[in-house]
Amino acid sequence: MTRRLCNGWTWLVLVLLNLPIVIVVAVSFTPTRYMTFPPPGFSLQWYAEFLSSRAWTAAALNSFVVALGAVAIATPLGVAAAIGLVRGRFLGRHVVGLLSGTPMVVPTIVAAVAMYFFFASVGMVGTRLSVILGHAALVMPVVVVSVTAVLVDFDEDLERAARNLGANRIRTFYHITWPLIRPAILSGMLFAFLMSFDELTVALFISGVESQTLPVRMWSAMRDELTPTIAAVSTLLILMSVVVIVAAQLAQWLNERKLK
Amino acid sequence: MSAVSAAVVPAQTGSAWLRPGAGWLVAPLVAFLGIVYFWPVLGLLATSVTDPELGLHHYQRFFERPIFMQVLLRTFSLAGFVTVAVILIGYPITYAMRMASPLAMKAILFLIFLPFWASVMVRTYGIMVIFGRDGIVNNMLMSAGMIDGPIAFMYNTWMVRIAMVQIMLPFLILPLYSVTRNIDQSLLQAAKGLGARPLMVFLRVYLPLSMPGIIAGALIVFVLSLGFFITPALLGGRQDIMISMLILNQFEAQLNWGFGATLSTVVLVVTMAALLALGRFAGNSTGAGR
């Protein structure tokens, strides 16, 4: 009885949770200027509006560049740090562990304001690079946590066996360790990418008019006037996220098949 | 904070791959975060007492004018409300997830993750589309002739609450589920076998074992809600101003950098205090659970 109640509750909540998303996607195809559900027809005009708008496409491009840049920085630093935290033995290891997780724990607005002052002091406010650096700091813990989770459970006997059979450190790493931590690195990277792409707060403070990211553009649009163009952008965002996640799952699945 | 540390730094020792220098691998990250994150935060604290001139006048202003404490309290109470609501709504869901078939699980996970992937802005926009002045509900009601002019669903506290609960829900379900899925079914069955009624089994066995998950999820949701401004800014009215919006306002309109820095410092301190307090509470309750 309890089970049935919980099940019913679960489906109800999940449907309500996703209803806004469904409606946004539906509205993005409306042929009218008004937001009605279901939409009275089917039109791609708002997507055309998005693609033909220099402001919107520039913002989308900025988001891509920033996310790629942030991941490019966060991944090597994060992976290295994860290995160092799990395998290393040094004074202050726990402190470093805490510190590496801080960007996840401190409210983003604090980081945004702090970074604004910092980049202002070096004259970098409004540049794309500053947003890349800021986002790199924010998403780095994601990579660290992802890789650490795998490394902690890592069966080091596998490595010991390889070493006993004569492989040197590099070969051991390449053939044993790397294939097994690769999925964790990949999922960390993808999650970091999405996190950066969707990030508003830091980007709002640090980016300028030319380096505006997509969320910032959406933010201005949403405070201004609610046109269905925002719905079109949103739908594209959802699509992109789903594609990225599915690609990650596919890669993982392929990876597992190869290992068998 | 210890939960974060525990997540990142394991307790085990010994490694066949251990290099004497493996610890140095953390250096690049520490350097990068030091420059781009920690140094700016220190600068923030400094700015709050040096801009435009040295002194604690910003803090004085914060504590003297009642409006600022009001905003802080309001932010706190919203975060608290959202946290409690999310726990109440999400807990039965994780219980259902335990019993779900693999296929149902896939569906459930997809439906939980989809909002996650859709980004906060998209979901807030969705609520605006539904409840806004030009939104779906109003358009439907007006074309049906039931109302003359649009109802202001938005720009009130309850809308903000509902929206934030909706947005924060996945952040609770995921950590809570990862804890409860490890609860051994045989423990529950043993309790039942010893004669305990279902309610007792729940209160004495299941609930205590799920506590770490509740605490972890609650921490995440509470901290996220404290610094959140997107949803309250877009959906709230003038009586719903949160401290994060106040901060944004200092930079956009008031151009009062020093005070903005002060408000940010207050958010930081308050969040750290909340984390410590909740962490202490977590330590006590999980200790009693063992």
Side-chain angles (χ1 to χ4, degrees), chain A residues 9-10 17-18 20 23 35 80 87 105 140 148 156 160 227 241 245, chain B residues 8 15-18 25 32 89 96 111 115 117 125 136 139 166 223 275:
Chain A
W9 177 251
T10 302
L17 206 60
N18 287 286
I23 292 183
M35 295 187 267
R87 302 291 181 88
V105 159
M140 219 171 276
T148 311
E156 287 166 31
R160 285 188 200 110
T227 68
S241 305
I245 303 286
Chain B
V8 179
S15 163
W17 198 61
L18 183 64
L25 286 172
F32 186 83
I89 295 177
L111 287 179
W117 301 333
Y125 176 67
I136 289 173
N139 280 334
Q166 211 223 29
V223 169
L275 272 174

PDB file of all heavy atoms in Angstrom, chain A residues 9-10 17-18 20 23 35 80 87 105 140 148 156 160 227 241 245, chain B residues 8 15-18 25 32 89 96 111 115 117 125 136 139 166 223 275:
ATOM      1  N   TRP A   9       2.962   8.920  -6.130  1.00  0.00           N
ATOM      2  CA  TRP A   9       3.541  10.214  -5.791  1.00  0.00           C
ATOM      3  C   TRP A   9       4.722  10.526  -6.695  1.00  0.00           C
ATOM      4  O   TRP A   9       4.882  11.639  -7.197  1.00  0.00           O
ATOM      5  CB  TRP A   9       3.955  10.178  -4.320  1.00  0.00           C
ATOM      6  CG  TRP A   9       4.625  11.399  -3.818  1.00  0.00           C
ATOM      7  CD1 TRP A   9       5.943  11.526  -3.477  1.00  0.00           C
ATOM      8  CD2 TRP A   9       4.038  12.674  -3.570  1.00  0.00           C
ATOM      9  NE1 TRP A   9       6.206  12.794  -3.042  1.00  0.00           N
ATOM     10  CE2 TRP A   9       5.044  13.514  -3.081  1.00  0.00           C
ATOM     11  CE3 TRP A   9       2.753  13.181  -3.717  1.00  0.00           C
ATOM     12  CZ2 TRP A   9       4.817  14.837  -2.740  1.00  0.00           C
ATOM     13  CZ3 TRP A   9       2.534  14.506  -3.379  1.00  0.00           C
ATOM     14  CH2 TRP A   9       3.545  15.321  -2.895  1.00  0.00           C
ATOM     15  N   THR A  10       5.564   9.487  -6.879  1.00  0.00           N
ATOM     16  CA  THR A  10       6.766   9.658  -7.694  1.00  0.00           C
ATOM     17  C   THR A  10       6.413  10.108  -9.098  1.00  0.00           C
ATOM     18  O   THR A  10       6.962  11.089  -9.604  1.00  0.00           O
ATOM     19  CB  THR A  10       7.556   8.341  -7.755  1.00  0.00           C
ATOM     20  OG1 THR A  10       7.892   7.949  -6.442  1.00  0.00           O
ATOM     21  CG2 THR A  10       8.821   8.521  -8.581  1.00  0.00           C
ATOM     22  N   LEU A  17       7.518  18.012 -12.489  1.00  0.00           N
ATOM     23  CA  LEU A  17       8.881  18.522 -12.589  1.00  0.00           C
ATOM     24  C   LEU A  17       9.255  18.810 -14.027  1.00  0.00           C
ATOM     25  O   LEU A  17       9.983  19.760 -14.327  1.00  0.00           O
ATOM     26  CB  LEU A  17       9.834  17.471 -12.004  1.00  0.00           C
ATOM     27  CG  LEU A  17      11.158  17.923 -11.438  1.00  0.00           C
ATOM     28  CD1 LEU A  17      10.928  18.878 -10.302  1.00  0.00           C
ATOM     29  CD2 LEU A  17      11.942  16.718 -10.954  1.00  0.00           C
ATOM     30  N   ASN A  18       8.782  17.979 -14.922  1.00  0.00           N
ATOM     31  CA  ASN A  18       9.179  18.109 -16.322  1.00  0.00           C
ATOM     32  C   ASN A  18       8.189  18.888 -17.170  1.00  0.00           C
ATOM     33  O   ASN A  18       8.465  19.191 -18.322  1.00  0.00           O
ATOM     34  CB  ASN A  18       9.385  16.717 -16.931  1.00  0.00           C
ATOM     35  CG  ASN A  18      10.657  16.069 -16.423  1.00  0.00           C
ATOM     36  OD1 ASN A  18      11.752  16.442 -16.807  1.00  0.00           O
ATOM     37  ND2 ASN A  18      10.511  15.114 -15.535  1.00  0.00           N
ATOM     38  N   PRO A  20       7.228  22.083 -17.166  1.00  0.00           N
ATOM     39  CA  PRO A  20       7.720  23.334 -17.752  1.00  0.00           C
ATOM     40  C   PRO A  20       8.608  23.095 -18.961  1.00  0.00           C
ATOM     41  O   PRO A  20       8.547  23.849 -19.932  1.00  0.00           O
ATOM     42  CB  PRO A  20       8.517  23.969 -16.612  1.00  0.00           C
ATOM     43  CG  PRO A  20       7.950  23.403 -15.382  1.00  0.00           C
ATOM     44  CD  PRO A  20       7.528  22.022 -15.721  1.00  0.00           C
ATOM     45  N   ILE A  23       6.503  22.212 -21.959  1.00  0.00           N
ATOM     46  CA  ILE A  23       5.773  23.384 -22.441  1.00  0.00           C
ATOM     47  C   ILE A  23       6.695  24.339 -23.181  1.00  0.00           C
ATOM     48  O   ILE A  23       6.337  24.889 -24.226  1.00  0.00           O
ATOM     49  CB  ILE A  23       5.067  24.078 -21.260  1.00  0.00           C
ATOM     50  CG1 ILE A  23       3.959  23.163 -20.767  1.00  0.00           C
ATOM     51  CG2 ILE A  23       4.549  25.436 -21.656  1.00  0.00           C
ATOM     52  CD1 ILE A  23       3.124  23.732 -19.668  1.00  0.00           C
ATOM     53  N   MET A  35       1.986  33.059 -26.205  1.00  0.00           N
ATOM     54  CA  MET A  35       2.337  31.766 -25.672  1.00  0.00           C
ATOM     55  C   MET A  35       1.078  31.028 -25.265  1.00  0.00           C
ATOM     56  O   MET A  35       0.459  31.366 -24.264  1.00  0.00           O
ATOM     57  CB  MET A  35       3.273  31.941 -24.478  1.00  0.00           C
ATOM     58  CG  MET A  35       4.582  32.541 -24.929  1.00  0.00           C
ATOM     59  SD  MET A  35       5.798  32.583 -23.636  1.00  0.00           S
ATOM     60  CE  MET A  35       5.514  34.204 -22.998  1.00  0.00           C
ATOM     61  N   ALA A  80      45.115  15.514 -12.518  1.00  0.00           N
ATOM     62  CA  ALA A  80      46.387  15.442 -11.801  1.00  0.00           C
ATOM     63  C   ALA A  80      46.163  15.558 -10.305  1.00  0.00           C
ATOM     64  O   ALA A  80      46.711  14.785  -9.513  1.00  0.00           O
ATOM     65  CB  ALA A  80      47.326  16.541 -12.298  1.00  0.00           C
ATOM     66  N   ARG A  87      46.663   9.157  -4.334  1.00  0.00           N
ATOM     67  CA  ARG A  87      47.867   8.352  -4.253  1.00  0.00           C
ATOM     68  C   ARG A  87      48.980   9.001  -3.453  1.00  0.00           C
ATOM     69  O   ARG A  87      49.900   8.328  -3.021  1.00  0.00           O
ATOM     70  CB  ARG A  87      48.413   8.069  -5.663  1.00  0.00           C
ATOM     71  CG  ARG A  87      47.446   7.362  -6.564  1.00  0.00           C
ATOM     72  CD  ARG A  87      47.207   5.943  -6.112  1.00  0.00           C
ATOM     73  NE  ARG A  87      46.291   5.222  -6.969  1.00  0.00           N
ATOM     74  CZ  ARG A  87      46.647   4.549  -8.049  1.00  0.00           C
ATOM     75  NH1 ARG A  87      47.912   4.522  -8.415  1.00  0.00           N
ATOM     76  NH2 ARG A  87      45.754   3.908  -8.766  1.00  0.00           N
ATOM     77  N   VAL A 105      31.144  24.558  -2.963  1.00  0.00           N
ATOM     78  CA  VAL A 105      30.416  24.729  -1.721  1.00  0.00           C
ATOM     79  C   VAL A 105      30.037  26.192  -1.469  1.00  0.00           C
ATOM     80  O   VAL A 105      28.996  26.492  -0.911  1.00  0.00           O
ATOM     81  CB  VAL A 105      31.291  24.188  -0.560  1.00  0.00           C
ATOM     82  CG1 VAL A 105      30.876  24.763   0.751  1.00  0.00           C
ATOM     83  CG2 VAL A 105      31.212  22.687  -0.532  1.00  0.00           C
ATOM     84  N   MET A 140      36.387  22.867 -11.913  1.00  0.00           N
ATOM     85  CA  MET A 140      37.485  21.975 -11.563  1.00  0.00           C
ATOM     86  C   MET A 140      37.104  20.926 -10.512  1.00  0.00           C
ATOM     87  O   MET A 140      37.444  19.754 -10.669  1.00  0.00           O
ATOM     88  CB  MET A 140      38.679  22.799 -11.078  1.00  0.00           C
ATOM     89  CG  MET A 140      39.994  22.258 -11.568  1.00  0.00           C
ATOM     90  SD  MET A 140      41.367  23.363 -11.209  1.00  0.00           S
ATOM     91  CE  MET A 140      41.261  24.476 -12.595  1.00  0.00           C
ATOM     92  N   THR A 148      38.367  11.124  -8.553  1.00  0.00           N
ATOM     93  CA  THR A 148      38.673  10.588  -7.226  1.00  0.00           C
ATOM     94  C   THR A 148      37.776   9.409  -6.889  1.00  0.00           C
ATOM     95  O   THR A 148      38.233   8.401  -6.359  1.00  0.00           O
ATOM     96  CB  THR A 148      38.485  11.672  -6.148  1.00  0.00           C
ATOM     97  OG1 THR A 148      39.151  12.845  -6.556  1.00  0.00           O
ATOM     98  CG2 THR A 148      39.037  11.209  -4.826  1.00  0.00           C
ATOM     99  N   GLU A 156      44.377  -1.753  -6.851  1.00  0.00           N
ATOM    100  CA  GLU A 156      45.771  -1.573  -7.228  1.00  0.00           C
ATOM    101  C   GLU A 156      46.507  -2.875  -7.457  1.00  0.00           C
ATOM    102  O   GLU A 156      47.628  -2.883  -7.973  1.00  0.00           O
ATOM    103  CB  GLU A 156      46.470  -0.718  -6.179  1.00  0.00           C
ATOM    104  CG  GLU A 156      46.010   0.720  -6.295  1.00  0.00           C
ATOM    105  CD  GLU A 156      46.397   1.532  -5.096  1.00  0.00           C
ATOM    106  OE1 GLU A 156      47.435   1.213  -4.519  1.00  0.00           O
ATOM    107  OE2 GLU A 156      45.662   2.469  -4.753  1.00  0.00           O
ATOM    108  N   ARG A 160      49.856  -3.765  -9.564  1.00  0.00           N
ATOM    109  CA  ARG A 160      50.955  -4.547  -8.993  1.00  0.00           C
ATOM    110  C   ARG A 160      51.264  -5.752  -9.869  1.00  0.00           C
ATOM    111  O   ARG A 160      52.418  -6.073 -10.117  1.00  0.00           O
ATOM    112  CB  ARG A 160      50.603  -5.024  -7.585  1.00  0.00           C
ATOM    113  CG  ARG A 160      50.682  -3.927  -6.575  1.00  0.00           C
ATOM    114  CD  ARG A 160      50.515  -4.458  -5.166  1.00  0.00           C
ATOM    115  NE  ARG A 160      50.139  -3.361  -4.301  1.00  0.00           N
ATOM    116  CZ  ARG A 160      48.945  -3.214  -3.739  1.00  0.00           C
ATOM    117  NH1 ARG A 160      48.009  -4.111  -3.954  1.00  0.00           N
ATOM    118  NH2 ARG A 160      48.682  -2.186  -2.986  1.00  0.00           N
ATOM    119  N   THR A 227       9.764  36.746 -25.305  1.00  0.00           N
ATOM    120  CA  THR A 227       9.402  36.274 -26.630  1.00  0.00           C
ATOM    121  C   THR A 227       9.697  34.785 -26.742  1.00  0.00           C
ATOM    122  O   THR A 227      10.560  34.262 -26.056  1.00  0.00           O
ATOM    123  CB  THR A 227      10.209  36.990 -27.727  1.00  0.00           C
ATOM    124  OG1 THR A 227      11.571  36.577 -27.609  1.00  0.00           O
ATOM    125  CG2 THR A 227      10.115  38.490 -27.580  1.00  0.00           C
ATOM    126  N   SER A 241      22.238  19.424 -24.331  1.00  0.00           N
ATOM    127  CA  SER A 241      22.558  18.688 -23.108  1.00  0.00           C
ATOM    128  C   SER A 241      22.277  17.208 -23.285  1.00  0.00           C
ATOM    129  O   SER A 241      23.093  16.366 -22.922  1.00  0.00           O
ATOM    130  CB  SER A 241      21.731  19.217 -21.936  1.00  0.00           C
ATOM    131  OG  SER A 241      21.900  20.584 -21.794  1.00  0.00           O
ATOM    132  N   ILE A 245      24.996  14.180 -23.068  1.00  0.00           N
ATOM    133  CA  ILE A 245      24.884  13.100 -22.084  1.00  0.00           C
ATOM    134  C   ILE A 245      24.792  11.751 -22.780  1.00  0.00           C
ATOM    135  O   ILE A 245      25.451  10.785 -22.388  1.00  0.00           O
ATOM    136  CB  ILE A 245      23.640  13.301 -21.196  1.00  0.00           C
ATOM    137  CG1 ILE A 245      23.690  14.646 -20.500  1.00  0.00           C
ATOM    138  CG2 ILE A 245      23.506  12.170 -20.209  1.00  0.00           C
ATOM    139  CD1 ILE A 245      24.660  14.719 -19.380  1.00  0.00           C
TER     140      ILE A 245
ATOM    141  N   VAL B   8      36.434  13.912  -1.252  1.00  0.00           N
ATOM    142  CA  VAL B   8      37.590  14.146  -2.108  1.00  0.00           C
ATOM    143  C   VAL B   8      38.837  13.413  -1.611  1.00  0.00           C
ATOM    144  O   VAL B   8      39.653  12.960  -2.399  1.00  0.00           O
ATOM    145  CB  VAL B   8      37.895  15.653  -2.207  1.00  0.00           C
ATOM    146  CG1 VAL B   8      39.094  15.908  -3.071  1.00  0.00           C
ATOM    147  CG2 VAL B   8      36.684  16.368  -2.770  1.00  0.00           C
ATOM    148  N   SER B  15      49.935   2.006  -1.508  1.00  0.00           N
ATOM    149  CA  SER B  15      49.689   1.987  -2.945  1.00  0.00           C
ATOM    150  C   SER B  15      50.908   1.428  -3.655  1.00  0.00           C
ATOM    151  O   SER B  15      52.034   1.753  -3.319  1.00  0.00           O
ATOM    152  CB  SER B  15      49.390   3.385  -3.429  1.00  0.00           C
ATOM    153  OG  SER B  15      49.535   3.435  -4.827  1.00  0.00           O
ATOM    154  N   ALA B  16      50.666   0.575  -4.643  1.00  0.00           N
ATOM    155  CA  ALA B  16      51.775   0.015  -5.399  1.00  0.00           C
ATOM    156  C   ALA B  16      52.310   1.012  -6.394  1.00  0.00           C
ATOM    157  O   ALA B  16      53.411   0.878  -6.887  1.00  0.00           O
ATOM    158  CB  ALA B  16      51.315  -1.249  -6.114  1.00  0.00           C
ATOM    159  N   TRP B  17      51.522   2.016  -6.710  1.00  0.00           N
ATOM    160  CA  TRP B  17      51.901   2.957  -7.735  1.00  0.00           C
ATOM    161  C   TRP B  17      52.407   4.257  -7.128  1.00  0.00           C
ATOM    162  O   TRP B  17      52.613   5.220  -7.800  1.00  0.00           O
ATOM    163  CB  TRP B  17      50.676   3.212  -8.618  1.00  0.00           C
ATOM    164  CG  TRP B  17      51.010   3.799  -9.927  1.00  0.00           C
ATOM    165  CD1 TRP B  17      51.775   3.281 -10.899  1.00  0.00           C
ATOM    166  CD2 TRP B  17      50.559   5.068 -10.392  1.00  0.00           C
ATOM    167  NE1 TRP B  17      51.819   4.117 -11.970  1.00  0.00           N
ATOM    168  CE2 TRP B  17      51.100   5.224 -11.688  1.00  0.00           C
ATOM    169  CE3 TRP B  17      49.761   6.069  -9.853  1.00  0.00           C
ATOM    170  CZ2 TRP B  17      50.860   6.354 -12.453  1.00  0.00           C
ATOM    171  CZ3 TRP B  17      49.517   7.182 -10.621  1.00  0.00           C
ATOM    172  CH2 TRP B  17      50.067   7.327 -11.899  1.00  0.00           C
ATOM    173  N   LEU B  18      52.555   4.209  -5.805  1.00  0.00           N
ATOM    174  CA  LEU B  18      52.878   5.421  -5.079  1.00  0.00           C
ATOM    175  C   LEU B  18      54.254   5.912  -5.460  1.00  0.00           C
ATOM    176  O   LEU B  18      55.239   5.199  -5.360  1.00  0.00           O
ATOM    177  CB  LEU B  18      52.837   5.120  -3.580  1.00  0.00           C
ATOM    178  CG  LEU B  18      53.074   6.305  -2.654  1.00  0.00           C
ATOM    179  CD1 LEU B  18      51.978   7.307  -2.814  1.00  0.00           C
ATOM    180  CD2 LEU B  18      53.109   5.819  -1.221  1.00  0.00           C
ATOM    181  N   LEU B  25      51.373  16.444  -7.762  1.00  0.00           N
ATOM    182  CA  LEU B  25      50.390  16.569  -8.827  1.00  0.00           C
ATOM    183  C   LEU B  25      49.272  17.532  -8.468  1.00  0.00           C
ATOM    184  O   LEU B  25      48.551  18.006  -9.338  1.00  0.00           O
ATOM    185  CB  LEU B  25      49.791  15.180  -9.145  1.00  0.00           C
ATOM    186  CG  LEU B  25      50.730  14.245  -9.904  1.00  0.00           C
ATOM    187  CD1 LEU B  25      50.133  12.853  -9.986  1.00  0.00           C
ATOM    188  CD2 LEU B  25      50.973  14.776 -11.304  1.00  0.00           C
ATOM    189  N   PHE B  32      46.331  27.305  -9.416  1.00  0.00           N
ATOM    190  CA  PHE B  32      45.284  27.928 -10.226  1.00  0.00           C
ATOM    191  C   PHE B  32      44.159  28.445  -9.354  1.00  0.00           C
ATOM    192  O   PHE B  32      43.741  29.600  -9.466  1.00  0.00           O
ATOM    193  CB  PHE B  32      44.741  26.914 -11.246  1.00  0.00           C
ATOM    194  CG  PHE B  32      43.753  27.513 -12.205  1.00  0.00           C
ATOM    195  CD1 PHE B  32      44.193  28.195 -13.333  1.00  0.00           C
ATOM    196  CD2 PHE B  32      42.386  27.416 -11.980  1.00  0.00           C
ATOM    197  CE1 PHE B  32      43.295  28.755 -14.214  1.00  0.00           C
ATOM    198  CE2 PHE B  32      41.481  27.981 -12.860  1.00  0.00           C
ATOM    199  CZ  PHE B  32      41.937  28.655 -13.982  1.00  0.00           C
ATOM    200  N   ILE B  89       9.090  16.072  -0.150  1.00  0.00           N
ATOM    201  CA  ILE B  89       8.614  15.616  -1.454  1.00  0.00           C
ATOM    202  C   ILE B  89       9.504  14.514  -1.998  1.00  0.00           C
ATOM    203  O   ILE B  89       9.028  13.543  -2.571  1.00  0.00           O
ATOM    204  CB  ILE B  89       8.569  16.792  -2.461  1.00  0.00           C
ATOM    205  CG1 ILE B  89       7.548  17.810  -1.999  1.00  0.00           C
ATOM    206  CG2 ILE B  89       8.227  16.297  -3.857  1.00  0.00           C
ATOM    207  CD1 ILE B  89       7.491  19.033  -2.881  1.00  0.00           C
ATOM    208  N   ALA B  96      10.372   4.850  -3.480  1.00  0.00           N
ATOM    209  CA  ALA B  96       9.807   4.172  -4.646  1.00  0.00           C
ATOM    210  C   ALA B  96      10.914   3.692  -5.576  1.00  0.00           C
ATOM    211  O   ALA B  96      10.811   2.645  -6.211  1.00  0.00           O
ATOM    212  CB  ALA B  96       8.862   5.115  -5.385  1.00  0.00           C
ATOM    213  N   LEU B 111      13.763  11.083 -16.030  1.00  0.00           N
ATOM    214  CA  LEU B 111      12.879  12.188 -15.680  1.00  0.00           C
ATOM    215  C   LEU B 111      13.461  13.064 -14.577  1.00  0.00           C
ATOM    216  O   LEU B 111      13.079  14.217 -14.441  1.00  0.00           O
ATOM    217  CB  LEU B 111      11.510  11.657 -15.250  1.00  0.00           C
ATOM    218  CG  LEU B 111      10.644  11.114 -16.383  1.00  0.00           C
ATOM    219  CD1 LEU B 111       9.335  10.586 -15.838  1.00  0.00           C
ATOM    220  CD2 LEU B 111      10.388  12.202 -17.413  1.00  0.00           C
ATOM    221  N   PRO B 115      15.402  17.547 -16.053  1.00  0.00           N
ATOM    222  CA  PRO B 115      15.403  18.923 -15.542  1.00  0.00           C
ATOM    223  C   PRO B 115      16.812  19.380 -15.166  1.00  0.00           C
ATOM    224  O   PRO B 115      17.165  20.540 -15.335  1.00  0.00           O
ATOM    225  CB  PRO B 115      14.521  18.858 -14.295  1.00  0.00           C
ATOM    226  CG  PRO B 115      13.847  17.568 -14.317  1.00  0.00           C
ATOM    227  CD  PRO B 115      14.545  16.673 -15.259  1.00  0.00           C
ATOM    228  N   TRP B 117      19.580  18.618 -16.624  1.00  0.00           N
ATOM    229  CA  TRP B 117      20.299  18.991 -17.823  1.00  0.00           C
ATOM    230  C   TRP B 117      19.713  20.230 -18.465  1.00  0.00           C
ATOM    231  O   TRP B 117      20.379  20.895 -19.235  1.00  0.00           O
ATOM    232  CB  TRP B 117      20.238  17.851 -18.860  1.00  0.00           C
ATOM    233  CG  TRP B 117      20.806  16.579 -18.384  1.00  0.00           C
ATOM    234  CD1 TRP B 117      21.769  16.411 -17.444  1.00  0.00           C
ATOM    235  CD2 TRP B 117      20.441  15.285 -18.823  1.00  0.00           C
ATOM    236  NE1 TRP B 117      22.020  15.084 -17.280  1.00  0.00           N
ATOM    237  CE2 TRP B 117      21.240  14.366 -18.105  1.00  0.00           C
ATOM    238  CE3 TRP B 117      19.534  14.794 -19.770  1.00  0.00           C
ATOM    239  CZ2 TRP B 117      21.143  12.998 -18.302  1.00  0.00           C
ATOM    240  CZ3 TRP B 117      19.447  13.443 -19.958  1.00  0.00           C
ATOM    241  CH2 TRP B 117      20.239  12.549 -19.235  1.00  0.00           C
ATOM    242  N   TYR B 125      12.299  29.869 -16.960  1.00  0.00           N
ATOM    243  CA  TYR B 125      11.591  30.413 -18.104  1.00  0.00           C
ATOM    244  C   TYR B 125      10.305  29.639 -18.325  1.00  0.00           C
ATOM    245  O   TYR B 125       9.253  30.227 -18.631  1.00  0.00           O
ATOM    246  CB  TYR B 125      12.482  30.357 -19.348  1.00  0.00           C
ATOM    247  CG  TYR B 125      11.787  30.806 -20.605  1.00  0.00           C
ATOM    248  CD1 TYR B 125      11.394  32.121 -20.760  1.00  0.00           C
ATOM    249  CD2 TYR B 125      11.514  29.905 -21.626  1.00  0.00           C
ATOM    250  CE1 TYR B 125      10.754  32.527 -21.910  1.00  0.00           C
ATOM    251  CE2 TYR B 125      10.878  30.311 -22.774  1.00  0.00           C
ATOM    252  CZ  TYR B 125      10.489  31.622 -22.906  1.00  0.00           C
ATOM    253  OH  TYR B 125       9.857  32.029 -24.043  1.00  0.00           O
ATOM    254  N   ILE B 136       0.642  31.106 -20.471  1.00  0.00           N
ATOM    255  CA  ILE B 136      -0.353  30.157 -20.949  1.00  0.00           C
ATOM    256  C   ILE B 136      -1.615  30.161 -20.108  1.00  0.00           C
ATOM    257  O   ILE B 136      -2.731  30.221 -20.632  1.00  0.00           O
ATOM    258  CB  ILE B 136       0.274  28.751 -20.965  1.00  0.00           C
ATOM    259  CG1 ILE B 136       1.291  28.685 -22.095  1.00  0.00           C
ATOM    260  CG2 ILE B 136      -0.783  27.687 -21.145  1.00  0.00           C
ATOM    261  CD1 ILE B 136       2.079  27.437 -22.098  1.00  0.00           C
ATOM    262  N   ASN B 139      -3.588  33.305 -20.689  1.00  0.00           N
ATOM    263  CA  ASN B 139      -4.189  33.330 -22.020  1.00  0.00           C
ATOM    264  C   ASN B 139      -5.385  32.394 -22.108  1.00  0.00           C
ATOM    265  O   ASN B 139      -6.414  32.728 -22.695  1.00  0.00           O
ATOM    266  CB  ASN B 139      -3.146  32.941 -23.080  1.00  0.00           C
ATOM    267  CG  ASN B 139      -2.241  34.107 -23.409  1.00  0.00           C
ATOM    268  OD1 ASN B 139      -2.632  35.254 -23.262  1.00  0.00           O
ATOM    269  ND2 ASN B 139      -1.039  33.821 -23.851  1.00  0.00           N
ATOM    270  N   GLN B 166      10.957  23.077  -7.128  1.00  0.00           N
ATOM    271  CA  GLN B 166      11.036  22.325  -8.368  1.00  0.00           C
ATOM    272  C   GLN B 166      12.466  22.210  -8.861  1.00  0.00           C
ATOM    273  O   GLN B 166      12.909  21.174  -9.324  1.00  0.00           O
ATOM    274  CB  GLN B 166      10.184  23.066  -9.384  1.00  0.00           C
ATOM    275  CG  GLN B 166       9.544  22.213 -10.404  1.00  0.00           C
ATOM    276  CD  GLN B 166       9.662  22.847 -11.763  1.00  0.00           C
ATOM    277  OE1 GLN B 166      10.598  23.581 -12.052  1.00  0.00           O
ATOM    278  NE2 GLN B 166       8.718  22.551 -12.615  1.00  0.00           N
ATOM    279  N   VAL B 223      22.570  25.295   0.897  1.00  0.00           N
ATOM    280  CA  VAL B 223      23.642  26.193   0.461  1.00  0.00           C
ATOM    281  C   VAL B 223      23.329  26.778  -0.910  1.00  0.00           C
ATOM    282  O   VAL B 223      23.509  27.972  -1.156  1.00  0.00           O
ATOM    283  CB  VAL B 223      24.991  25.446   0.444  1.00  0.00           C
ATOM    284  CG1 VAL B 223      26.051  26.250  -0.245  1.00  0.00           C
ATOM    285  CG2 VAL B 223      25.408  25.113   1.852  1.00  0.00           C
ATOM    286  N   LEU B 275      26.937  25.688   7.092  1.00  0.00           N
ATOM    287  CA  LEU B 275      27.588  24.421   6.773  1.00  0.00           C
ATOM    288  C   LEU B 275      28.153  23.769   8.019  1.00  0.00           C
ATOM    289  O   LEU B 275      27.962  22.582   8.263  1.00  0.00           O
ATOM    290  CB  LEU B 275      28.714  24.643   5.767  1.00  0.00           C
ATOM    291  CG  LEU B 275      28.334  24.607   4.293  1.00  0.00           C
ATOM    292  CD1 LEU B 275      29.522  24.999   3.463  1.00  0.00           C
ATOM    293  CD2 LEU B 275      27.875  23.217   3.919  1.00  0.00           C
TER     294      LEU B 275
END
